């Protein structure tokens, strides 16, 4: 950990934010609405986390005796469709129109691999869950697909306009943690950061209604059934932090 710094304007909301000067990790945001889970304890926090778990063998859960606390989500090589997703069970209690910021420290313990079906993972914000990621109405997330397993992408969808498959310029390595941040302070310039480095900006302002702006934290790794669906992948989550203005 580097020197703890503080800025009033880190997210252009006039709020005081304490952060690690070495990598940008948010230590404490002085926002009125804050959710923070460090994946510690006997089990993951089901007070506000819900899951979708379809056909995979290893249940979503905390790893034993992992320093700092780690939540794992794993797809196995069984030949079927599988989903491991972490979310708020579609309680869309956050709004992109209220200066919303999402941040998570995540590693791919196993990078997505493919049979004939794609294994894909997303990390960020989304409206209601759907097994088909491309049909989720609103999203702002990082994405990885097994066809190019080391290439990090970023995407947005405001319910009407898609901004998909944008290269973040990051080469992923198994077991290498990154801090993924999505800053919706300005909905006309939603910013994507990796380790506090800006890797993309998207305009979601056109036609984004108040209802379309309602989202939840959303991390998903999944594969469909198509031919030989034997691909695998494992996500390790160190922490998730989400914060926004009250109104």
């Amino acid at each position: 950990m580097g020197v703890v710094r503080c800025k009033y304007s880190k997210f252009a909301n006039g709020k005081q934010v304490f952060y690690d000067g070495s990598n940008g990790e948010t230590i404490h945001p002085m926002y009125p609405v804050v959710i923070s889970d460090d994946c510690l304890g006997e089990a993951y926090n089901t007070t506000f986390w819900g899951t979708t778990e379809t056909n995979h063998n290893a249940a979503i859960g905390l790893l034993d005796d992992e320093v700092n606390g780690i939540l794992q989500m794993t797809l196995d090589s069984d030949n079927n469709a599988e989903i491991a997703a972490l979310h708020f069970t579609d309680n869309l209690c956050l709004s992109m129109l209220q200066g919303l910021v999402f941040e998570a420290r995540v590693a791919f313990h196993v990078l997505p691999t493919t049979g004939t079906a794609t294994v894909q993972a997303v990390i960020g914000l989304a409206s209601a869950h759907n097994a088909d990621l491309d049909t989720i109405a609103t999203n702002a997330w990082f994405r990885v697909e097994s066809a190019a397993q080391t290439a990090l992408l970023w995407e947005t969808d405001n319910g009407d306009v898609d901004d998909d498959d944008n290269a973040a310029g990051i080469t992923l390595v198994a077991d290498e943690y990154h801090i993924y941040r999505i800053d919706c302070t300005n909905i006309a310039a939603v910013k994507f950061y990796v380790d506090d480095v800006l890797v993309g900006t998207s305009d979601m302002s056109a036609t984004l209604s108040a209802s379309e702006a309602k989202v939840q934290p959303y991390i998903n790794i999944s594969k469909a059934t198509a031919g030989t669906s034997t691909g695998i992948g494992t996500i390790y989550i160190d922490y998730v932090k989400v914060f926004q203005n009250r109104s």
Side-chain angles (χ1 to χ4, degrees), residues 100 107 117 128 152 158 161 180 234:
L100 179 62
L152 181 67
N158 66 4
V161 180
Y180 298 92
T234 299

Side-chain angles (χ1 to χ4, degrees), residues 223-234:
K223 61 179 178 179
T225 300
T228 306
S229 301
T230 56
I232 60 174
T234 299

Side-chain angles (χ1 to χ4, degrees), residues 91-114:
N91 181 5
L92 308 181
C93 54
L94 303 169
S95 174
M96 290 181 167
L97 299 178
Q98 293 178 202
L100 179 62
V101 179
F102 168 94
E103 183 176 300
R105 185 172 184 264
V106 176
F108 286 89
H109 178 58
V110 177
L111 290 166
T113 64
T114 187

Side-chain angles (χ1 to χ4, degrees), residues 174-188:
D175 285 322
E176 186 174 276
Y177 280 92
H178 293 287
I179 296 172
Y180 298 92
R181 184 186 308 119
I182 302 168
D183 178 3
C184 303
T185 300
N186 178 0
I187 205 66

